[in-house]
Amino acid sequence: MTDTRRLYQQIADQVRQLMQNGQYPPGARLPAERELAQQLGVSRPSLREALIALEIDGSIEIRMGSGIYATSPSRPLPANRSLGESPMELMQARAVIEGAVIVQAAAAVTPEALSGLTDILVAMRREIDEGRKPMEQDRQFHLAIADCAGNAVLGAVVAQLFDERHSPMSDRMRGRFETPETWRAALNEHEAILACLDARNPLGAQAAMHAHLTASGRRWLES
């Protein structure tokens, strides 16, 4: 029977099995990410997602700068309990969808829309400078671009994918790896996107959006 669970859930169960078999009893330190990924035959980004899932359910403790420690015997996550989509797959999906949406947006964007996008980025910079996370401005920027495309269905898809960031998996990932520096990088990428829209350059805007979302995924999963 085919295992239909998300890949990170399958990998998390592999790690649990090692713990339950006594290889890593409570209190033991697990191998470093690179070594454990090689041992399991999986990619480091996929393993990182699995470790976040294990941290959420209390099976391990991730101590920044120290390592990963087994905490207590754990059971597989019930099939009907979802921690959210894979953050890696989510960012890949957003790159595909928003990369297509922005081509339409670049052809239809108005001076008023460009002014609104500029105002959003001004507010985003202010939030960062004042030590706050500009989540709302980030959302506004991506949804405003989708609105420019003039397709309500695509706009709803963009909003749904963006709001998946509030799932337990993505929320924990953001909490661990988002910093003022990563937000400044995102702001710079937004400004590059806006410059292409202002130039009415659909292919440039598409490339800038794809580069932004790919870089965002890397900042979460490869930092």
Side-chain angles (χ1 to χ4, degrees), residues 83-213:
L83 298 179
E85 300 297 340
S86 154
M88 179 172 57
E89 293 185 358
L90 177 64
M91 298 308 288
Q92 290 170 346
R94 287 187 61 194
V96 171
I97 298 297
E98 295 190 50
V101 167
I102 201 169
V103 172
Q104 295 187 41
V109 67
T110 64
E112 293 76 18
L114 289 169
S115 177
L117 288 166
T118 299
D119 290 344
I120 291 169
L121 295 191
V122 169
M124 186 175 182
R125 182 177 296 279
R126 183 168 58 248
E127 290 293 294
I128 296 170
D129 288 344
E130 294 178 1
R132 294 187 291 269
K133 294 184 177 182
M135 280 289 296
E136 182 57 30
Q137 291 74 24
D138 189 20
R139 186 180 192 276
Q140 290 173 359
F141 183 77
H142 285 272
L143 268 61
I145 290 173
D147 286 344
C148 292
N151 185 308
V153 175
L154 287 174
V157 172
V158 170
Q160 180 181 355
L161 291 175
F162 189 97
D163 290 340
E164 179 66 23
R165 291 180 60 144
H166 299 295
S167 72
M169 276 289 294
S170 292
D171 190 61
R172 183 65 62 95
M173 197 78 78
R174 286 190 299 105
R176 282 201 169 277
F177 303 113
E178 283 184 356
T179 66
E181 289 71 29
T182 64
W183 277 116
R184 289 190 188 282
L187 175 61
N188 291 337
E189 291 154 12
H190 283 182
E191 290 174 338
I193 291 168
L194 179 56
C196 290
L197 289 173
D198 190 31
R200 308 302 197 277
N201 180 354
L203 294 182
Q206 183 180 49
M209 179 64 79
H210 192 275
H212 164 53
L213 293 173

Side-chain angles (χ1 to χ4, degrees), residues 13-91:
D13 279 352
Q14 290 181 261
V15 178
R16 284 191 189 94
Q17 192 64 47
L18 295 175
M19 295 164 63
Q20 291 167 355
N21 289 345
Q23 189 166 344
Y24 304 112
R29 181 177 176 178
L30 277 65
E33 278 187 9
R34 184 184 301 277
E35 181 182 343
L36 188 56
Q38 291 175 343
Q39 179 180 341
L40 298 175
V42 301
S43 69
R44 287 185 68 188
S46 294
L47 174 64
R48 177 166 286 184
E49 291 184 349
L51 293 175
I52 291 293
L54 289 168
E55 183 184 38
I56 290 172
D57 75 12
S59 299
I60 64 170
E61 180 183 357
I62 301 175
R63 304 175 191 171
M64 300 302 288
S66 177
I68 307 159
Y69 295 84
T71 56
S72 62
S74 64
R75 292 171 293 178
L77 189 72
N80 61 353
R81 185 194 169 196
S82 174
L83 298 179
E85 300 297 340
S86 154
M88 179 172 57
E89 293 185 358
L90 177 64
M91 298 308 288

